[in-house]
Amino acid sequence: MTDDVQVDSGLGRELARLGALVRQRRTSRGLSVETLADVAGLSAGIVSMIERGRGNPSLSTLQKLAASLDLPLGQFFQGPRTKGLVVRADARKKLHPTEGLVYELLTPDLNRQLEMLRIQIPPGWNNRNQPFQHRGEECVHLVSGWLQIHVGGEDFELRSGDTITYDPSLPHWYDNPSGEAAHTLGVVTPPSF
């Protein structure tokens, strides 16, 4: 994303907050932009853009930054701290790792035995070139839309109301070939963010 691209104000605030977090963590560890970029396997220009709130990093880029800064990926979720056991709809922590993809944390925090996420997957989105892979167990329920999920070489087609449970240590990726957003609820144990 370049400086002359307009960003909606909500996403712009989230990107600015993300950039400030990356900059604060980098400087507190005594790293230059170039050193962080080298450790993360990213270009210095990408890191600089993210820190200035001008980039909209992919999930893969966020994972590399989190690992390089010794941060749980969940630190990149935005939103007010949740007190107690109830997560109010307007207080969910959100992550926009790529254009249109939205994760909302439905559990109060990541200090539990499981995490529950609401995920909006935009039309045409897929992560075939960067499959997910993490330890634990995962269950995904398709609330609305149509979704293809690929797990360890097997393909599964989900329609509204369908649920799949699988071993997420196998490479897995999602494909929304439809013309409308797909909405899922996902439960992961232990938390992977």
Side-chain angles (χ1 to χ4, degrees):
M1 180 175 293
T2 60
D3 290 344
D4 58 339
V5 174
Q6 296 293 324
V7 178
D8 76 69
S9 62
L11 181 57
R13 280 191 302 276
E14 291 176 32
L15 293 174
R17 184 200 54 76
L18 171 67
L21 174 62
V22 170
R23 183 181 318 103
Q24 182 277 326
R25 185 65 173 212
R26 175 184 60 77
T27 58
S28 72
R29 298 184 66 117
L31 301 173
S32 67
V33 168
E34 292 77 15
T35 301
L36 174 59
D38 187 50
V39 170
L42 302 168
S43 74
I46 292 290
V47 172
S48 178
M49 283 179 63
I50 291 168
E51 286 191 359
R52 290 181 290 126
R54 299 291 183 189
N56 190 2
S58 68
L59 182 58
S60 173
T61 297
L62 291 176
Q63 289 171 324
K64 290 175 184 179
L65 285 171
S68 300
L69 294 169
D70 196 28
L71 279 172
L73 186 59
Q75 288 286 354
F76 294 141
F77 276 97
Q78 67 97 27
R81 282 205 174 276
T82 304
K83 296 179 182 170
L85 302 177
V86 176
V87 177
R88 301 289 175 201
D90 63 347
R92 294 179 188 152
K93 294 173 179 75
K94 293 182 182 179
L95 178 67
H96 296 260
T98 185
E99 197 67 37
L101 190 66
V102 179
Y103 287 91
E104 293 180 273
L105 186 63
L106 301 179
T107 45
D109 54 50
L110 296 169
N111 299 318
R112 302 183 184 264
Q113 304 249 346
L114 62 83
E115 74 185 15
M116 186 167 184
L117 300 165
R118 180 180 184 275
I119 306 164
Q120 174 184 296
I121 303 167
W125 189 90
N126 80 63
N127 63 312
R128 167 181 261 160
N129 294 329
Q130 296 178 324
F132 302 121
Q133 193 169 6
H134 52 88
R135 65 188 177 99
E137 189 168 15
E138 188 161 348
C139 180
V140 175
H141 174 77
L142 187 61
V143 175
S144 65
W146 173 42
L147 195 60
Q148 294 176 350
I149 298 182
H150 308 269
V151 181
E154 288 189 68
D155 301 330
F156 304 92
E157 183 176 303
L158 273 65
R159 301 280 180 178
S160 295
D162 292 345
T163 304
I164 183 172
T165 303
Y166 54 89
D167 176 356
S169 68
L170 298 171
H172 54 285
W173 57 279
Y174 302 159
D175 180 16
N176 180 0
S178 76
E180 64 181 60
H183 294 90
T184 69
L185 294 176
V187 177
V188 180
T189 182
S192 65
F193 271 100

